[in-house]
Amino acid sequence: MDHAPAESIELTIIGMTCAGCTASVSRALGKVAGVTAVSVDLASGRATIEGHAALQDLERAVEAAGFDLAAPHG
């Protein structure tokens, strides 16, 4: 089987203030179909998502976790 390489999407999350916030965002993004890895950095307010997930699904997951999403990067 021929698999396309995973994409890397970087999002800026608005409203994270503590380690619990990063855990909530990471958990929410990790449940999105197509996501293979998530890294959330509190200091920069950014989440890096690996896989093949739709941006709309990622945005919905972040909002469902109680946070806002800034314009996507890269």
Side-chain angles (χ1 to χ4, degrees), residues 17-63:
T17 59
C18 65
C21 294
T22 60
S24 293
V25 169
S26 182
R27 237 184 341 268
L29 290 170
K31 292 179 182 178
V32 174
V35 171
T36 58
V38 177
S39 174
V40 182
D41 182 62
L42 178 62
S44 68
R46 292 198 175 141
T48 303
I49 302 99
E50 302 288 333
H52 297 283
L55 183 58
Q56 300 91 324
D57 293 341
L58 298 172
E59 183 173 2
R60 277 193 287 271
V62 168
E63 291 174 352

Side-chain angles (χ1 to χ4, degrees), residues 1-7 36 51-52:
M1 273 200 277
D2 187 28
H3 294 288
E7 297 176 338
T36 58
H52 297 283

